[in-house]
């Protein structure tokens, strides 16, 4: 996607935010990113967490592939962004600002905000879903050898709606600390998915997915 078309895609986000519409009546991304806690940056400089995340989203949509790319993007669009959002920032965030923020950000809160925003885009919410596909993938570049001759890596589990063409929810975990089955149970437990068919690979059929029938709740379908 070109930088121009990326701006066309997210132009509505900026315009709705500029109107200061309450989050309860809006479904723009910024309203949900505002729930992410701010982090104190180095040297006392503070950038709102939602602003750094918004710039990151816009930058990635525009083809940014590194922290240095995000810095260039933030510098190039600093005036337009701050004026549209009503912010007074003396300077744009640097690559080190993004690096430090990404190291400190509450990943769980970020995933929850994106999940809630995604679901808000569905007219009927999760009630309009009929099936979801679970898929787990190793993140590229995260694989490292272990002392036992195996390998450890960071993996991402995604609940994907083929009908809508979007990922409804996702979570990452380190293979030495968690397992795909447990992460999928967590994702399903966070959503009301009564009557929704969940498709998963054979890994999840090796033993009972839930410990007992009472633990299934609304996600047993």
């Amino acid at each position: 996607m070109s930088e121009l078309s990326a701006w066309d895609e997210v132009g509505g986000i900026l315009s709705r935010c500029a109107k200061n519409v309450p989050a309860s009546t809006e479904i723009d991304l910024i309203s949900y990113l505002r729930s992410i806690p701010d982090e104190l940056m180095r040297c006392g400089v503070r950038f709102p967490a939602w602003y750094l995340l918004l710039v990151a989203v816009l930058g990635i949509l525009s083809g940014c592939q590194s922290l240095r790319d995000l810095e260039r993007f933030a510098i190039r669009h600093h005036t337009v962004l701050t004026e549209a959002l009503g912010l007074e920032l003396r300077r744009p965030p640097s690559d080190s600002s993004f690096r430090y923020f990404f190291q400190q950000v509450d990943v769980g809160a970020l995933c929850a905000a994106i999940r809630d925003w995604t679901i808000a885009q569905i007219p009927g919410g999760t009630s309009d879903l009929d099936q979801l596909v679970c898929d787990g993938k190793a993140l590229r570049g995260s694989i490292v050898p272990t002392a036992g001759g195996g390998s450890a890596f960071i993996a991402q589990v995604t609940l994907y709606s083929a009908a809508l063409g979007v990922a409804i929810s996702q979570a990452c975990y380190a293979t030495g600390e968690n397992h795909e089955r447990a992460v999928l149970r967590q994702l399903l437990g966070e959503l009301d998915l009564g009557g929704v068919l969940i498709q998963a690979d054979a890994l999840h059929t090796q033993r009972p997915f839930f410990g007992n029938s009472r633990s299934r709740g609304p996600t047993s379908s």
Side-chain angles (χ1 to χ4, degrees):
M1 180 180 291
S2 68
E3 187 164 312
L4 180 59
S5 60
W7 275 102
D8 291 338
E9 286 285 328
V10 300
I13 296 176
L14 300 180
S15 62
R16 286 194 294 269
C17 181
K19 295 177 183 177
N20 294 319
V21 180
S24 59
T25 62
E26 259 309 330
I27 58 174
D28 64 272
L29 180 59
I30 292 176
S31 298
Y32 289 87
L33 293 182
R34 285 182 182 274
S35 67
I36 308 300
D38 287 334
E39 299 291 344
L40 184 62
M41 306 299 284
R42 291 175 178 173
C43 301
V45 177
R46 182 184 293 275
F47 291 100
W50 67 266
Y51 178 74
L52 291 173
L53 290 169
L54 178 64
V55 173
V57 169
L58 296 176
I60 292 171
L61 286 173
S62 299
C64 294
Q65 299 183 9
S66 67
L67 295 176
R68 187 60 60 85
D69 286 345
L70 288 179
E71 177 186 48
R72 297 190 187 101
F73 181 88
I75 293 173
R76 190 160 57 249
H77 299 291
H78 179 68
T79 301
V80 173
L81 278 173
T82 53
E83 288 182 357
L85 299 170
L87 293 176
E88 294 184 1
L89 298 176
R90 291 179 298 173
R91 62 178 184 271
S94 64
D95 60 338
S96 59
S97 297
F98 285 109
R99 179 181 297 106
Y100 186 75
F101 172 72
F102 291 148
Q103 290 174 341
Q104 304 296 320
V105 69
D106 186 334
V107 177
L110 173 58
C111 289
I114 295 177
R115 177 200 65 209
D116 294 343
W117 173 76
T118 301
I119 294 175
Q121 314 308 306
I122 307 172
T126 55
S127 62
D128 274 3
L129 297 173
D130 58 354
Q131 59 181 301
L132 292 174
V133 179
C134 167
D135 190 24
K137 297 293 185 183
L139 298 186
R140 184 174 59 185
S142 68
I143 301 177
V144 295
T146 62
S151 60
F153 52 89
I154 304 297
Q156 177 173 285
V157 179
T158 301
L159 283 175
Y160 177 78
S161 170
L164 298 174
V166 296
I168 299 299
S169 184
Q170 60 186 22
C172 292
Y173 69 95
T175 54
E177 302 173 359
N178 214 330
H179 189 274
E180 183 175 322
R181 288 169 53 87
V183 176
L184 177 56
R185 281 198 296 267
Q186 174 189 332
L187 290 178
L188 294 177
E190 294 171 349
L191 299 170
D192 183 7
L193 298 174
V196 179
L197 173 66
I198 307 297
Q199 300 183 46
D201 58 31
L203 168 68
H204 301 279
T205 65
Q206 294 177 357
R207 56 182 182 272
F209 189 75
F210 293 98
N212 57 68
S213 60
R214 294 183 178 181
S215 67
R216 299 178 184 180
T219 62
S220 60
S221 299

